[in-house]
Structures are given as structure tokens and as C-alpha cells.
Amino acid sequence: MTSVTPTIYDVAQAAGVSISTVSNALNRPDRVSEETRARVLECIDRLGFVPKSQATNLARKQMRRIGVIAPFTSYVSYMTRLAGVLAEARAAGFEVATFDSESAATSMTPILDSLPIKGQVDGLIVMGFTLDSTIEDRLKDRGVPLVVVDAISTRFPVITCDDEQSGRVGAAHLLDLGHRSFGYVRERQRGSYESQADRRLSGFTAELDKTPGTQLRVVECDPTFESARAAAHSLISSDDRPTAVMAHFDELAVGVLKAAADLGVRIPDELSVIGVDDGPVAEATDLTTVRQPFSESGVEAVRLLISRLDRPSSERTVTFLDLRVVERGTTAPVEPANSVEG
């Protein structure tokens, strides 16, 4: 029996849509509804349809190209991770294709709905996004090699730092300095899943709960310096100003520093500030921060992905990288007059 290669017309007929809708589902997903896109993608998978522009690539055993999806333009830290990816991929003889996405506080973009199926890369590294179960199941069923960095996955190997632990480490540092009144600046959540911001704040709160008499006020902002600055104004201009503030990541912490300067609050004498990441901005501003091994996570992600290209049935693993406080000039022991008795 001669097999017939499915065409876009076959997909359109099976899904009950036009061929332009099929094209939009693959290339312009914002132009179709989620329900329609899901139906089209299910038909593509079931029929084994491959766009002509990708057929040649799929015929190759390995293209020696990996894709990296991350919110590069929203967070400097992912550019540092990418540097590790590029160095290790180059050493292994692989090209890297990058795909910028939105803030990690939003849900995953439609890139994952079609990119690996179309055969543009041998495997994927997804950074900063927790994949929803539908996407995970689809990629797993299609045999797409994938490694998740700095997020949670139930189906694919993960390389990450313990976000909850980063909050705990930051809180422990401030508690050890004698602080009992705290503020926390977190990124505003724009999705229903448990985000990195949720987990980090949870760890911070859990560590404070171990010490009687602590006080905590949380404010939210967008993932920008100016938004954090505005949020911090309301936090540290209040009558019950905290003696220490932790921010979800370093750029937000710098916004807190600027707000303190605006209000004439002395750092660290009147207010201690700590961030998370230890990117270039932390060193430039002498910011105390919880260091994450960004470049190392990119290196490890490439090594793990390449190993899974060779052994796709390898057991799923979760690798936690070490965290530590880098103490600089923005934290200090609480002044006795500002201390809150436990």
C-alpha cells in the first residue's frame, strides 16, 4: 500500500476550518481562538502533517541546532544564562536559535505549540516558564527533547535553583542582622499558575514565621525599575516603615534603593535592601543579593539536552543549583532605635 503524505488541505478538512486558519494556527496563533488552535494542532499531530518548508529538516537525523525560549528582553538574568548556553553549545558543535517571550509572570506563549513539531531544532531549552499540562503532554507524546531551566515541569528534566529556598536565604540573612520589620517587593502575577514570585515569597514568609514578633508588608509591581520604585515609595514612606526590604530580583531592589534616595532614607543605616540574582546591576550598585549560578545553569542545560538527544529514554532528573548570599553595602545590622521587639 502506498502511503499518502498529508497536506494542509487534509488538516483543514479534518479540523473543519479553512487552510488560512490552519496557517494562522501555526504561524499567527493570536489570530485564532484557543479552542480552534487546539483542534487544528490535534489534527496536525494525528495526521502527521509537516509544513513543506520544514520537511527537508525533518528528513535529517540531527540538525545540530537547539532552540532556547526565554523572556530575554524582560530579565537581564536570562541573557546571562544564554551566555552559558552559547559557550557550551559552541564547544559541542551546536547552533543556538533563540526565541524571546514575554514576562515570566505571564503564561507560556504559543511558540511551543508549533516550533518543535515543525522541526526547526533538535531539542529545546525552555527558561523561566512553567509549562501547562497540555503543552507538556503534547511535546512528550511527539518525542521532543526538552530541558526546563528555572521553572517546574512534571514531564521533562529540570535544572533550577530552589526558588522557595532563595526567599528563605534572604530572610535568614536579614533576621541574623536583627531585623524584625520587613517589606517585600514582588512582581505582579499575571497568570493563575504558581510562579517563581509565589514560591520565592512563600520561602521568605516561611522563614520569618520561625521568629516571633516579625512584621511583613508586601507590595506588587511590574518587572521594571520604575514600577518597583513607585511601589517602594508607598512601602517606605509609611509611618510603619520596615527596617529591611527584600525584592523579587535585583532590578526591583535597585528601584527600592532609588525610592529610598528620593525619600531621604539612608541605606543601609535606616533601611537594608536585598535582591536576588547577583547580575551586573547588583555589583554596580553594591547591592546585597542572593546569588544564582546563571551561566552555570545554561551550561548544564546544554549538556543535559545533548545527552538526551543521544539517550531519549533517559530517566527524568531534577537538578538544584547552589544559592548563597553575596553581602555588599545595602544591608547592615538594624539600628537599636528601629528594632521591633519580639
Side-chain angles (χ1 to χ4, degrees), residues 261-284:
D262 295 340
L263 298 168
V265 176
R266 292 175 295 132
I267 304 291
D269 298 333
E270 296 177 296
L271 182 70
S272 285
V273 179
I274 186 172
V276 181
D277 281 347
D278 196 29
V281 69
E283 186 172 359

Side-chain angles (χ1 to χ4, degrees), residues 224-239:
T224 65
F225 160 83
E226 285 297 341
S227 183
R229 180 183 182 181
H233 263 266
S234 66
L235 180 64
I236 62 182
S237 63
S238 61
D239 293 337

Side-chain angles (χ1 to χ4, degrees), residues 17-269:
V17 298
S18 66
I19 60 172
S20 63
T21 298
V22 175
S23 178
N24 283 336
L26 287 172
N27 303 303
R28 299 180 180 86
D30 57 305
R31 297 190 178 184
V32 299
S33 69
E34 284 296 315
E35 180 181 355
T36 299
R37 180 168 58 86
R39 186 167 71 252
V40 170
L41 293 173
E42 187 278 328
C43 292
I44 287 173
D45 287 347
R46 175 162 49 83
L47 296 174
F49 169 71
V50 178
K52 287 183 180 179
S53 61
Q54 305 303 326
T56 301
N57 280 342
L58 280 176
R60 304 182 199 172
K61 182 177 181 181
Q62 194 177 92
M63 290 163 283
R64 302 195 71 78
R65 183 187 305 122
I66 59 178
V68 183
I69 304 175
F72 295 116
T73 54
S74 296
Y75 308 93
V76 174
S77 61
Y78 288 102
M79 295 302 294
T80 308
R81 289 182 173 95
L82 179 61
V85 168
L86 292 172
E88 185 63 22
R90 187 183 305 113
F94 278 75
E95 296 178 353
V96 175
T98 59
F99 303 88
D100 186 45
S101 191
E102 299 176 14
S103 163
T106 64
S107 60
M108 190 60 201
T109 64
I111 293 173
L112 278 174
D113 283 335
S114 59
L115 172 63
I117 307 302
K118 293 193 292 184
Q120 295 184 5
V121 294
D122 295 314
L124 284 171
I125 297 172
V126 177
M127 297 182 171
F129 294 98
T130 296
L131 307 180
D132 66 50
S133 58
T134 300
I135 290 177
E136 280 200 315
D137 290 345
R138 183 167 183 261
L139 297 181
K140 190 72 174 178
D141 291 344
R142 295 291 290 176
V144 177
L146 187 149
V147 172
V148 174
V149 177
D150 194 35
I152 294 174
S153 172
T154 60
R155 303 292 299 275
F156 294 100
V158 172
I159 295 175
T160 189
C161 291
D162 187 333
D163 290 317
E164 185 171 329
Q165 184 64 17
S166 67
R168 288 182 180 273
V169 167
H173 174 70
L174 297 174
L175 287 167
D176 287 346
L177 292 173
H179 295 279
R180 297 296 181 267
S181 177
F182 301 92
Y184 193 99
V185 180
R186 63 160 285 163
E187 181 179 353
R188 184 175 291 111
Q189 179 71 16
R190 287 178 286 171
S192 59
Y193 67 95
E194 183 188 46
S195 68
Q196 181 188 74
D198 293 327
R199 296 189 296 273
R200 198 164 286 170
L201 176 58
S202 176
F204 188 85
T205 303
E207 192 66 23
L208 296 192
D209 288 344
K210 296 178 181 179
T211 302
T214 58
Q215 301 170 5
L216 174 63
R217 181 181 170 194
V218 179
V219 294
E220 294 188 337
C221 64
D222 293 328
T224 65
F225 160 83
E226 285 297 341
S227 183
R229 180 183 182 181
H233 263 266
S234 66
L235 180 64
I236 62 182
S237 63
S238 61
D239 293 337
D240 58 344
R241 185 184 75 221
T243 64
V245 174
M246 183 169 183
H248 175 51
F249 58 91
D250 287 342
E251 282 75 13
L252 303 190
V254 174
V256 178
L257 296 179
K258 183 58 177 174
D262 295 340
L263 298 168
V265 176
R266 292 175 295 132
I267 304 291
D269 298 333

